[in-house]
Each structure stands twice: as structure tokens, then as C-alpha cells.
Amino acid sequence: MNDAAAKREAGGAVALETETTGVPGGVPGTNADVVIVGAGSAGIAAARRLLANGLSVVVLEARSRIGGRTLTRRFRGHPLDLGAHWLHAGPINPLVRLGRERREPLRRAPVEGHVFVRGRPGSRAQGAALDRAFAMADRAMTQAAKGREDQPAAKALPPMGPQGRRVAAIHGLVSGRPLGEVSLHDFPSMEYADNLFIAGGLGAYVERLARGLPVRLGTAVHAIDWSGQGVRVESSAGTLHGRAAIVTAPMAVLQREAIRFVPALPDACREAIHGFTEGVYEHVVLHWPGSPFRGADRLASLTGGRREPPGLLTCIDDTPFHFFELDQPGAAGFDRRDPHAPFRFAREVLAEHFGHRAIRDLTVMHATAWRHDPWSRASWAVVPPGLHPIRDMLKAPVGERIWFAGEALSRAQWGTAGGAWEEGERAAAEVLGQLAPRNGASGSRAGG
Ligand SMILES: Cc1cc2nc3c(=O)[nH]c(=O)nc-3n(C[C@H](O)[C@H](O)[C@H](O)COP(=O)(O)OP(=O)(O)OC[C@H]3O[C@@H](n4cnc5c(N)ncnc54)[C@H](O)[C@@H]3O)c2cc1C
């Protein structure tokens, strides 16, 4: 559905009301057919699909902006993503498919990266050795994941010396936790090949996709009562009634009981929610015109130093901006009361590799802190060893009227905006299957 269509569909949108008034054309006694909690990728995808299929929706969003863990902000006039930036797994990513349909400015991410050894460009052989170590690790993990018993993903890595430590550090970064804390059965299910970027930022793109949707900002949901018919959703802006709810709040937020369910959720559902651990991945935004990096959007591996950053994305969009990435152990080392600690850390590590003269024109512009944000509490949800069924466990609806959606439920695209989108669409399709026949709309029309 294009933006014009979304607007048209949203013409019948309901405004949040503090009393039960009924939706024109909807079921008497409800404010909307479906109440969606959260206006991130999953919530937006669900709202678009439901509206396109004739159901009324209202999206309640705690923050004063749309997009959740996607967010584009301007730095010195240039748009930069402070949350998701990569469109991973192009061939299966629904945001790529939709982007192509809408003729969005997508570009392929380069495959080649930089390898620096003690601040100097590494040889071709050093780059090839790292590539081989990645290939060996991937083969070993894929093979070991076929075993019946789950185990920490780190245990499947063959001994590979310093290259192995580098591979483990990078996989740990993209997992959100060190590989010793990640389920081997879950980890290799993620597709990472064929990545893309979008000009103007992924956050801005997701925000465009929400245009015209009935989103109520600054509205935190604190309870969902499903004891009677449908759902009764209590929020900071009043109470709403719906026939069903789709909850896309992050797992780490649900674990803190930010939303009370009445009656309590079934045990299996609670266990699944509480099974996840918090994945941490943070961007430190650098402006560094004199950096030694050439070519746009390349990952750089800095090796041979006492400290090696697990991720560095250089010359973003061919600008002097770079992301110095923080992994969970790195971020955990900082004192929360000192917001400049990541700034100093990035400078120290880069000075260690390239020398103090080389970083004279480096400015650290910003460091994200999604792990401390009350509406995310983490960058994404991680499955610990032994708990790999929890993503699927959460897909079962509760009382045939509450569905969970979001990145945590996606198996092939966990921890991504594309995975969240896919799960929002899945939940919406199931809600349509449940509610649409009585409305006269057909679930088979679902297509967004
Ligand atoms: C630094 C960083 C880098 C990342 N990099 C990438 C990347 O390169 N590529 C990629 O694909 N993914 C990346 N991700 C992950 C990606 O951002 C997320 O997986 C995805 O955006 C999650 O979407 P979601 O809809 O599941 O959740 P969210 O986007 O978190 O949306 C949930 C929404 O619910 C709202 N909410 C929470 N509680 C309540 C409540 N009680 N009431 C009302 N509203 C509530 C929140 O405010 C939020 O807007 C990154 C994440 C981070 C933090």
C-alpha cells in the first residue's frame, strides 16, 4: 500500500476516546477493532495491513515520536540513524521489497571492508585470513546447530587463534551478547547476506511508512484487561476498548511489567517473555574528516591493538561520519552517570591505533543509550542457550484476542527492523483471520 492509500485507509481512523463510543462501521462498544501497542516497525506494519483490509485500528505509542528503535536524526545537516541502519538480508527483508515497490533510494552495502593492523592498512593476505576465519566459524556453527542439544554458540567455534577472537567479537556484537550467552540453535537462523542501505536513513523511511496512520503519540499503555469480551486497554490518555490487541512493546519492557495483563498471561507466554536476555548494541557517532578510511559505507576491522573495537562503519553515505559500535561487554563497563564515557573510550581506542595526531580533527558527536531508554531497555532480545523455542512460543495468541509481535518473534530476521515488520504483518494476518469474517473483509486480501 502506498502512502496515499494508507492515508485513504486511515480516513476512517479513530481518535482516542476516554469512553466507549463505538467506531463508525465497527462493532458497537469498541473504539477500534484492533488496538496496537507501539508504533515501531512491527506496529506500523500491523496497522497498515489491518487498515488495508477494512478493520479499524488505533496505535498507542508511549514516546512522542514514531519509529521505536529506528530513528534518524540530523548531525551537521546530514541524516544519521541512531537505531537500525542496515537493511539486512535483502532477498527476504519485507522493508526492501516494499522499498523497491515504492522506488525508495536503496543502495547495496559494499561487501569489501578495511583491515587495519596497528593503524596501518593490512595486506591482502591478512584480509583473506579474516574472511577464511569467518567462513570456518559459520560452517562450524551451522553444522553444530544441527545437533539435538542446544549449547552456547561460542562452544561451536573451532580454535582459530587471533582471527577466531576477532570473529567471536564481531558475532558477539551483532548478537547483542557474547557468544557464550547466545543459543547455538537460535544464532545461525539469522540471514545476514545481501545487505542494503537507504538514503536519508532507515528511521526516516519507517516514519514515511507510518504517514496517515492513526497513531496516538505520548500514550503509554499500562494495563490490558482481557477478562471480558475483547480487550480493555488502559493508557496514560484513558481507556480504550478493542476486539483484539497487538502488543509490540520490546521484551525487556514487558519483562519489567510495564504492561499489566488482567488476568495474568498464561505461564508459557510469561516464561517466553522472561526467557530473553537484553541485547546491547550502541552507536558512538564520530565526525572525522581526516580519517584514514576511503570508500563509502565500509566496515573496518582494527586489529593488533590492546583494544579492538568490535565494529566500525566508516564514511557513512560517503560523508565524514562513522559509527564506532559498542558491544554489550563494552557498554556494560561504562558508568551510567557519565554520558561522556563512551566519547572518551572511542577517542582512546582510535588514538591507540592511529596515534593522537591522526585524531586531531575527530569530534565525537553522540553516543546512544538504548539500554537505558525506558521504552526499549535494550537494542534487541537475545535467546540464551537452551531457550531457542521461545520466539515461536510467543506467536500463539492469548485468549484469541492478544497477539505479540516485534523483532523478538522473528526467527530468520531476529533483532532487525525487517524481522519486526514481518512479525507485525504475521500478527495482523492472524487477527484478520480471527476478526475479518464477521466484518465481511477477507483475510486472503491481506497484502498491505
Ligand atoms: C543501535 C541499534 C542498531 C540497530 N541496528 C540495526 C540494523 O542495522 N538493522 C536492523 O534491521 N535492525 C537494527 N536494530 C534493531 C532494530 O532497530 C529493531 O529490531 C526494530 O526496530 C524493532 O522493532 P519493533 O517494532 O519490534 O520494536 P520497537 O521499534 O522498539 O517498537 C516498539 C514500540 O513500542 C513502544 N512502547 C513500548 N512500551 C509501550 C507501552 N507500554 N505503551 C505504548 N507504547 C510502548 C516503544 O516506544 C516503541 O516505539 C538496531 C537497534 C539498535 C538499538
Side-chain angles (χ1 to χ4, degrees):
M1 186 171 61
N2 59 27
D3 283 338
K7 264 199 187 102
R8 214 171 38 245
E9 295 291 351
V14 286
L16 179 63
E17 292 170 9
T18 48
E19 57 191 59
T20 310
T21 54
V23 190
V27 171
T30 59
N31 297 91
D33 287 320
V34 187
V35 181
I36 299 175
V37 182
S41 301
I44 294 167
R48 286 171 59 109
R49 179 159 287 207
L50 292 170
L51 285 167
N53 285 274
L55 293 191
S56 60
V57 306
V58 60
V59 186
L60 305 182
E61 169 52 53
R63 291 185 175 108
S64 55
R65 62 168 182 83
I66 277 170
R69 285 169 278 176
T70 66
L71 168 66
T72 306
R73 282 274 179 269
R74 282 190 175 267
F75 290 85
R76 298 189 177 173
H78 191 80
L80 287 175
D81 284 313
L82 295 181
H85 178 58
W86 298 72
L87 286 156
H88 292 297
I92 59 165
N93 188 327
L95 287 168
V96 170
R97 194 183 56 236
L98 190 56
R100 291 210 167 108
E101 279 165 28
R102 294 166 48 100
R103 299 181 185 277
E104 293 282 351
L106 300 170
R107 66 179 188 276
R108 297 195 82 80
V111 178
E112 64 283 3
H114 302 292
V115 175
F116 281 82
V117 183
R118 281 183 287 280
R120 294 181 177 281
S123 65
R124 223 178 253 274
Q126 281 162 324
L130 186 59
D131 290 346
R132 272 199 308 277
F134 266 111
M136 253 174 89
D138 287 351
R139 270 197 307 275
M141 286 203 281
T142 308
Q143 189 55 32
K146 291 182 186 151
R148 262 170 44 133
E149 289 295 311
D150 194 11
Q151 53 175 317
K155 283 205 171 167
L157 288 181
M160 293 184 290
Q163 304 288 11
R165 282 199 294 281
R166 182 86 203 125
V167 169
I170 294 171
H171 278 328
L173 170 72
V174 299
S175 295
R177 308 286 303 186
L179 285 189
E181 301 174 27
V182 175
S183 154
L184 175 66
H185 276 181
D186 188 65
F187 178 77
S189 65
M190 162 60 111
E191 295 282 345
Y192 259 119
D194 296 320
N195 299 313
L196 295 95
F197 296 114
I198 184 161
L202 179 49
Y205 170 41
V206 169
E207 209 179 325
R208 280 198 291 286
L209 293 173
R211 274 187 202 147
L213 296 180
V215 181
R216 178 72 189 240
L217 298 176
T219 306
V221 171
H222 48 81
I224 299 180
D225 185 334
W226 55 288
S227 59
Q229 273 205 327
V231 289
R232 189 167 173 270
V233 179
E234 288 172 20
S235 78
S236 53
T239 301
L240 268 135
H241 296 256
R243 294 166 66 195
I246 297 179
V247 179
T248 73
M251 290 301 128
V253 172
L254 294 175
Q255 285 171 357
R256 286 170 172 79
E257 316 279 339
I259 303 176
R260 195 165 47 88
F261 291 87
V262 183
L265 292 171
D267 287 348
C269 189
R270 285 174 54 81
E271 278 166 28
I273 289 171
H274 288 274
F276 290 97
T277 49
E278 293 163 7
V280 175
Y281 182 111
E282 304 282 8
H283 299 306
V284 181
V285 180
L286 312 177
H287 186 262
W288 191 10
S291 85
F293 311 121
R294 299 290 168 265
D297 301 317
R298 294 185 181 194
L299 287 166
S301 249
L302 307 190
T303 65
R306 193 168 58 83
R307 290 173 295 187
E308 298 179 350
L312 192 60
L313 179 63
T314 64
C315 304
I316 297 167
D317 213 3
D318 215 7
T319 66
F321 288 100
H322 318 268
F323 285 151
F324 182 105
E325 314 291 24
L326 296 177
D327 58 10
Q328 187 272 333
F334 299 129
D335 184 338
R336 184 178 174 169
R337 292 161 302 182
D338 178 3
H340 288 103
F343 290 41
R344 288 196 301 276
F345 178 72
R347 291 189 72 88
E348 283 166 16
V349 172
L350 292 170
E352 197 178 299
H353 284 263
F354 297 105
H356 285 278
R357 277 171 63 94
I359 65 160
R360 269 183 314 192
D361 69 341
L362 165 70
T363 314
V364 184
M365 312 281 305
H366 185 81
T368 63
W370 294 94
R371 64 200 184 282
H372 301 315
D373 182 317
W375 303 116
S376 55
R377 300 281 184 189
S379 298
W380 52 79
V382 176
V383 175
L387 293 183
H388 59 280
I390 57 180
R391 297 194 196 278
D392 291 338
M393 276 162 68
L394 267 184
K395 290 186 185 178
V398 174
E400 295 182 339
R401 70 198 92 152
I402 300 174
W403 275 259
F404 289 94
E407 57 82 15
L409 283 79
S410 173
R411 272 200 77 80
Q413 300 179 74
W414 51 256
T416 70
W421 190 274
E422 176 191 44
E423 284 303 312
E425 290 198 320
R426 176 198 55 82
E430 291 182 16
V431 170
L432 280 164
Q434 184 80 17
L435 304 188
R438 277 193 284 152
N439 250 21
S442 154
S444 64
R445 278 173 50 216

